[in-house]
Amino acid sequence: MSTPRFHGKTVLVTGAATGIGRAIAVRFASEGANVAINYRDKEGEVADTAAQCRAAYVAAGVEDAAALPFQADVSVEPQVQAMVAAAVERFGRLDVMVNNAGVQTQSPSDETEMAAFDWVLNVNLRGAFLCARAAIRHFLERGGGGVVLNNSSVHEIIPKPQYASYSISKGGMENMTRTLALEYAGRGIRVNAVGPGAIVTPINSSWIDNPALRAQVESHIPMGRAGAPEEIAAVFAFLASDEASYITGQTIFACGGLTLFPEYRGTWAS
Ligand code: NAI
């Protein structure tokens, strides 16, 4: 069996308890990486993720890698610093930081409570910056570069009425991706993002288990279906790998065509 692609590397995935974060953690485990699986409150949140990572190691024939839980609310600076320090101490190094943790709330913008607005910005944008900063500090200190990957959204570029805080956070994430990429390109650090479309995860519980609502959502997607978390995890693995060694500052949209102006499928104006 050939050596798995990420063997000897350590990847930290924030918000790894569920959904896309869990799929990313399992994907990296299946390719031999040590995985620091972040949870916000209780270690039990990532028990399933850890079990799936262990199964992935067995399936890949990897015996000397581990997936371990690390606590941090990504929006709380000392918790992020402690998490990264603990992961570096346990695994000896960090190679890839995946900023996946994210939240959203819905309300007409004129009725939005600022506490809800701040919560979304604090987790999605401030949290991603705090984690990126901690990872970059480590990359600079140990030398040899590293990778920061952000889980953005199609709403990085598509406005989302009634979810202004979410859209704003992902728009900011695009700028963060490009700014950090430019700032550290000369020091071996690549910074990229993935922009998922509608993916079957708990964040979309309002429609994924309701056949009528799901059909309505999927009717807007050019490829005709919602995506699977594993299809997003595959893009993270690519961007973390040496296959993407010349890519930095980019968002790769994995969205079944949602960013292609689907309303223009038919020619309705010329
Ligand atoms: P999810 O709700 O299953 O996952 C979000 C994760 O973030 C949860 O595990 C949660 O515990 C964690 N989290 C929330 N606040 C946190 C905090 N303060 N500190 C640490 N962890 C925290 O939803 P999903 O879909 O897996 O979302 C993951 C990322 O993917 C988010 O950034 C989301 O914006 C993004 N995304 C999801 C899409 C989808 O259709 N599911 C589409 C586009 C982007």
Side-chain angles (χ1 to χ4, degrees):
M1 202 180 280
S2 60
T3 308
R5 180 160 70 153
F6 296 112
H7 192 243
K9 305 270 189 193
T10 299
V11 181
L12 193 160
V13 184
T14 68
T18 51
I20 298 171
R22 176 190 291 169
I24 294 169
V26 174
R27 173 68 191 239
F28 279 110
S30 76
E31 298 208 48
N34 293 312
V35 188
I37 43 182
N38 160 251
Y39 63 94
R40 183 180 49 195
D41 297 317
K42 297 198 175 72
E43 193 172 318
E45 290 169 35
V46 286
D48 283 351
T49 305
Q52 288 183 32
C53 287
R54 284 194 293 274
Y57 290 134
V58 171
V62 174
E63 291 171 358
D64 55 352
L68 299 172
F70 292 86
Q71 188 279 331
D73 177 330
V74 296
S75 65
V76 179
E77 184 175 7
Q79 292 186 20
V80 169
Q81 290 175 185
M83 170 180 70
V84 172
V88 169
E89 172 153 351
R90 173 60 183 78
F91 293 117
R93 60 185 288 132
L94 178 64
D95 297 281
V96 182
M97 169 63 78
V98 178
N99 289 313
N100 167 77
V103 293
Q104 65 178 16
T105 58
Q106 177 180 13
S107 64
S109 292
D110 57 295
E111 295 171 15
T112 294
E113 302 281 349
M114 290 319 290
F117 182 93
D118 290 345
W119 175 58
V120 174
L121 269 291
N122 281 338
V123 175
N124 296 10
L125 191 53
R126 186 173 192 274
F129 182 78
L130 282 172
C131 292
R133 189 186 67 166
I136 289 169
R137 282 178 178 168
H138 166 68
F139 298 156
L140 294 175
E141 195 180 301
R142 73 154 160 68
V147 174
V148 175
L149 298 176
N150 299 319
N151 200 353
S152 182
S153 166
V154 291
H155 298 296
E156 179 179 299
I157 55 170
I158 301 175
K160 193 174 186 188
Q162 299 197 14
Y163 290 83
S165 55
Y166 187 78
S167 281
I168 292 166
S169 73
K170 299 301 188 178
M173 188 171 243
E174 188 219 9
N175 197 295
M176 187 181 95
T177 300
R178 289 164 56 81
T179 300
L180 294 180
L182 182 57
E183 193 168 341
Y184 294 100
R187 283 174 274 182
I189 298 170
R190 294 188 300 108
V191 185
N192 288 295
V194 180
I199 310 301
V200 179
T201 74
I203 211 171
N204 288 323
S205 55
S206 62
W207 56 264
I208 51 180
D209 295 325
N210 179 322
L213 280 181
R214 183 164 174 164
Q216 196 215 330
V217 169
E218 293 184 324
S219 73
H220 294 286
I221 302 169
M223 288 182 71
R225 63 174 178 84
E230 292 73 21
E231 293 178 289
I232 304 306
V235 187
F236 278 90
F238 164 68
L239 285 172
S241 77
D242 290 343
E243 299 292 307
S245 55
Y246 206 46
I247 301 177
T248 198
Q250 307 301 310
T251 299
I252 295 190
F253 292 102
C255 63
L258 259 184
T259 50
L260 301 176
F261 298 93
E263 293 305 314
Y264 282 81
R265 263 178 289 195
T267 306
W268 55 265
S270 60

